Amino acid sequence: MKTGPAQILKNIAAKLLALALVAGLAAGCASTANHSAEKDKGPKYIFYPAAPDEPHVQFLTSFETEKDLRKGMHDSFMTYLTGQQPRLLMIVKPYGGHVGGGKFYVCDTGQGAVLKMDLAAQRMSVVTPDMTSAIQNPLNMAVDANGWLYVVDMGRQQLVVLDDKEHFVTAIGEKGKTKPMDVAVTPDRIYLSDITSHSVHVLDKATRKNLFDIPRDADGTNWQRRLFQPINIALDTQGRLYVSDFGAYRVQVYDADGKYLRSIGEQGSNFGQFVRNKGVAVDRSNIVYVVDTAGDMVQMFNEEGRVLMWFGGAKAGAASMELPAKVLVDYDDVPWFQKFAAPDFQVEHLLIVMNQFGPHKVAVYGFGHKK
């Protein structure tokens, strides 16, 4: 049954209220779980799900300024070493990014720049290509195995390619005819979501020529298999493509050849449903992570699309999310963040969430298990 615009707005309002109540309940659970730590004046650890359930995700830390990278390093000491007050960069309004190999890249739509956080050097810098206005308004990005950057630029309405030295290589797409939203890369392909054509373009990485579009053939007119507003994408280890379709309240899954496999989620305010789904990511166990911006949370699904749990929430205290846009999976950098975990919690991989507002612009969570 079709729903009119007025009813949809009423439904969304009801969903927001329901999600707020759920998030409030979660915050209460987290507070209860941490009560003993507060009483002993020890560190507070926020887990999902909350006790007495077995914990699977822990909030570890977050970054908003360059100073957050320098835990324990005072500005006065840096002034003594360099002879001048250090200039500290700040993250204003992040959307997408890339993580791994000791580097965190952030597409900051508030500054119209790509920021790079170097974990080892504890420094933040701005990616500055050697061509004027090469990057205007970055939204999402990917980095390949060679260190090349692929940046979706909303200002240019193109995909900007930079080499491993951050030199401008090329821009893909014809201005005014496409509206790229996200990118994913493999050794031989580039996947580029485009809401103008309601599809994901699959390009040959070497020639940058279009191979085919997803969905393919008749799937483009099939309501169940088509795409309406493909805004964020991700690939799993088997080459399957996950597309967060903002216009259909679901994630569409296709194989490497573009064949439709399944849908995850639907419109609604219950667990397993979405109000404003955006970022999507997949880990090595094929757990699917989907950001719901309206609910300020990330929901987790198994390979078949069954909801497993969620983490985040608008009222989760120190772990609160505020308009999250992107979730990223990172296996490389666990050693940098294990120190923030509870003594009896082993982090298996990191979950990085980009919040457009609030104090936790780049929030780091650990997925793991009790030791």
Side-chain angles (χ1 to χ4, degrees), residues 119-262:
L119 299 180
Q122 297 181 314
R123 291 290 183 272
M124 187 185 299
S125 59
V126 179
V127 173
T128 53
D130 54 353
M131 189 186 87
T132 304
S133 300
I135 295 178
Q136 298 176 11
N137 188 14
L139 185 70
N140 277 305
M141 66 178 294
V143 179
D144 70 11
N146 298 317
W148 284 38
L149 279 61
Y150 298 78
V151 182
V152 173
D153 195 306
M154 290 291 288
R156 297 176 61 104
Q157 294 184 339
Q158 292 176 311
L159 177 67
V160 177
V161 182
L162 309 178
D163 67 15
D164 59 336
K165 303 300 182 184
E166 300 177 3
H167 297 153
F168 179 84
V169 176
T170 189
I172 300 173
E174 190 173 349
K175 295 182 180 180
K177 292 191 175 182
T178 62
K179 190 174 182 181
M181 298 297 292
D182 201 1
V183 61
V185 295
T186 68
D188 58 353
R189 287 180 174 181
I190 300 172
Y191 294 81
L192 187 63
S193 64
D194 176 14
I195 61 173
T196 298
S197 64
H198 314 288
S199 66
V200 175
H201 305 301
V202 183
L203 286 66
D204 180 270
K205 192 177 179 186
T207 65
R208 305 185 186 102
K209 301 296 184 182
N210 194 73
L211 299 174
F212 58 91
D213 289 345
I214 299 175
R216 304 190 73 169
D217 305 325
D219 287 347
T221 57
N222 182 297
W223 187 91
Q224 182 63 30
R225 301 182 176 194
R226 67 171 296 187
L227 293 171
F228 290 85
Q229 288 182 286
I231 60 171
N232 285 284
I233 60 177
L235 296 168
D236 67 13
T237 56
Q238 299 178 44
R240 291 176 295 199
L241 177 69
Y242 296 74
V243 185
S244 182
D245 192 336
F246 186 80
Y249 308 95
R250 64 192 181 193
V251 172
Q252 299 288 73
V253 187
Y254 303 89
D255 70 11
D257 295 320
K259 177 184 177 183
Y260 169 83
L261 298 176
R262 70 183 66 89

Side-chain angles (χ1 to χ4, degrees), residues 43 79 85 149 364:
T79 302
Q85 188 74 14
L149 279 61
V364 183

Side-chain angles (χ1 to χ4, degrees), residues 57-76:
V57 175
Q58 181 192 339
F59 173 76
L60 300 177
T61 187
S62 65
F63 301 100
E64 186 177 18
T65 70
E66 187 175 1
K67 189 174 183 179
D68 295 329
L69 290 170
R70 308 174 184 176
K71 305 292 185 182
M73 185 180 293
H74 298 292
D75 289 347
S76 58

Side-chain angles (χ1 to χ4, degrees), residues 272-320:
Q273 299 177 326
F274 305 122
V275 179
R276 292 177 65 84
N277 52 294
K278 287 192 174 181
V280 60
V282 190
D283 69 20
R284 293 174 183 171
S285 299
N286 294 324
I287 295 177
V288 183
Y289 304 85
V290 186
V291 172
D292 193 323
T293 301
D296 291 315
M297 66 171 67
V298 176
Q299 296 195 61
M300 297 165 52
F301 299 81
N302 69 6
E303 190 172 357
E304 288 73 39
R306 181 173 63 86
V307 65
L308 300 173
M309 58 171 282
W310 64 275
F311 63 94
K315 298 182 182 297
S320 296

